[in-house]
Amino acid sequence: MLFRSRFLLKPKWIAFHVLCVAAIGGMVAAGFWQLGRHFERQRFKDDVIARTDADIVPFESLELSNPAAVEWRRVEVTGTYVPDKNFTVVNVSQQGAGGTDPVNALALADGTVLIVNRGFVAAPTTAPAAPTGEVTVVGRVRLSQKPGLGQAADDGSQPLTQIRRVDLGALSQQFTEKVQPVYIDQIDMKNEPSSMTPVAFPDLDGGPPHLSYTIQWFIFSVAVAAGWALAVRKSARDRDPTKKPRAKRRHIPIDDSRSQVG
């Protein structure tokens, strides 16, 4: 047995062992990473559902020291839209249709302004102007949107009208008043014309199937381990000195001359 296992310590076999261990370790790590992503997405889904199902509360009652803790809460807020501060999110797609999102700032009683994404307008309809006078807006709390890797950002130091996203960092530079650290997506359209619809709720069941990826990575790791074991077993059997070589079958031609009648 010892003789048969010595080959496992040869350099090429050591390299093979290291390669298999590294591959198995990487696959297992990838599987657990995908599993973590699955649980993280499930927690996100549960949080969003719980917050959106909660009762509508006054915006002023929110604790905004940790904005992420109140995202997706439904709130009601009263104020007056700031005149001459109209923004339009361009290149928006919703339910298969292209269009824009009109964005305005609501002046609140405490002197601050709250950015409101008023809804979605399908092309080629032009976004309507914001309502005048005091209005009460009902919407979902959202966090500031940030550009992704390689995406261009809006330059808030310049006057903005068309914007790529609701980036509170850029929009806050358009006002002398303090801008709230969150914005809201309007969901009650009683103050808006029929051409506008609420911003679509996120697809909580979409995204990558992380649980399926987890299972695949674990299966791949088991397959590599099984392949390593089979390779070692076959090489050990081939090196077994007690194993008798398999006898070759000889073909003996049949002499049928005796069956011939003379």
Side-chain angles (χ1 to χ4, degrees):
M1 181 67 181
L2 179 62
F3 175 80
R4 285 187 293 168
S5 62
R6 288 178 181 175
F7 74 95
L8 296 175
L9 300 179
K10 292 183 178 181
K12 65 178 183 179
W13 274 97
I14 293 177
F16 178 64
H17 303 330
V18 172
L19 179 62
C20 289
V21 170
I24 293 172
M27 292 175 183
V28 170
F32 279 113
W33 182 83
Q34 290 288 352
L35 187 62
R37 291 286 294 158
H38 167 73
F39 288 127
E40 179 182 331
R41 186 170 184 83
Q42 188 61 47
R43 286 193 297 269
F44 169 77
K45 178 179 178 179
D46 294 341
D47 287 345
V48 171
I49 293 175
R51 294 175 188 176
T52 54
D53 287 346
D55 294 336
I56 298 174
V57 297
F59 177 78
E60 294 79 9
S61 68
L62 295 180
E63 175 55 58
L64 296 177
S65 59
N66 181 18
V70 297
E71 188 179 16
W72 305 107
R73 283 299 306 268
R74 294 182 301 164
V75 296
E76 182 179 83
V77 60
T78 299
T80 305
Y81 282 113
V82 178
D84 303 324
K85 291 292 184 180
N86 303 301
F87 311 101
T88 304
V89 183
V90 297
N91 299 325
V92 179
S93 177
Q94 183 165 304
Q95 296 179 343
T100 58
D101 286 357
V103 174
N104 292 87
L106 196 67
L108 307 183
D110 62 0
T112 64
V113 295
L114 173 64
I115 302 299
V116 179
N117 185 340
R118 294 169 44 220
F120 172 75
V121 181
T125 305
T126 303
T132 58
E134 187 177 79
V135 295
T136 297
V137 177
V138 176
R140 289 188 296 264
V141 176
R142 298 300 311 276
L143 300 181
S144 176
Q145 297 179 342
K146 302 296 182 183
L149 183 63
Q151 293 181 332
D154 296 318
D155 184 3
S157 64
Q158 303 295 324
L160 295 175
T161 52
Q162 292 187 342
I163 56 178
R164 296 176 176 87
R165 61 191 64 83
V166 186
D167 183 346
L168 297 181
L171 292 177
S172 63
Q173 299 178 57
Q174 307 294 300
F175 300 90
T176 57
E177 300 87 353
K178 177 184 176 181
V179 176
Q180 293 286 342
V182 296
Y183 75 96
I184 65 173
D185 283 336
Q186 183 172 231
I187 57 178
D188 186 345
M189 310 304 289
K190 63 184 178 183
N191 299 317
E192 304 292 351
S194 59
S195 59
M196 291 183 61
T197 57
V199 175
F201 192 73
D203 181 10
L204 299 179
D205 295 322
H210 295 295
L211 189 58
S212 296
Y213 293 159
T214 298
I215 297 173
Q216 290 176 15
W217 280 120
F218 288 158
I219 290 176
F220 293 157
S221 65
V222 171
V224 172
W228 173 86
L230 290 174
V232 170
R233 181 181 178 184
K234 182 179 184 304
S235 296
R237 291 181 62 183
D238 292 343
R239 289 170 171 78
D240 187 355
T242 63
K243 182 180 179 182
K244 296 181 180 180
R246 186 177 179 181
K248 295 183 179 180
R249 297 180 61 183
R250 296 179 59 187
H251 176 70
I252 302 176
I254 299 175
D255 186 3
D256 59 350
S257 60
R258 296 180 181 180
S259 61
Q260 296 178 357
V261 178

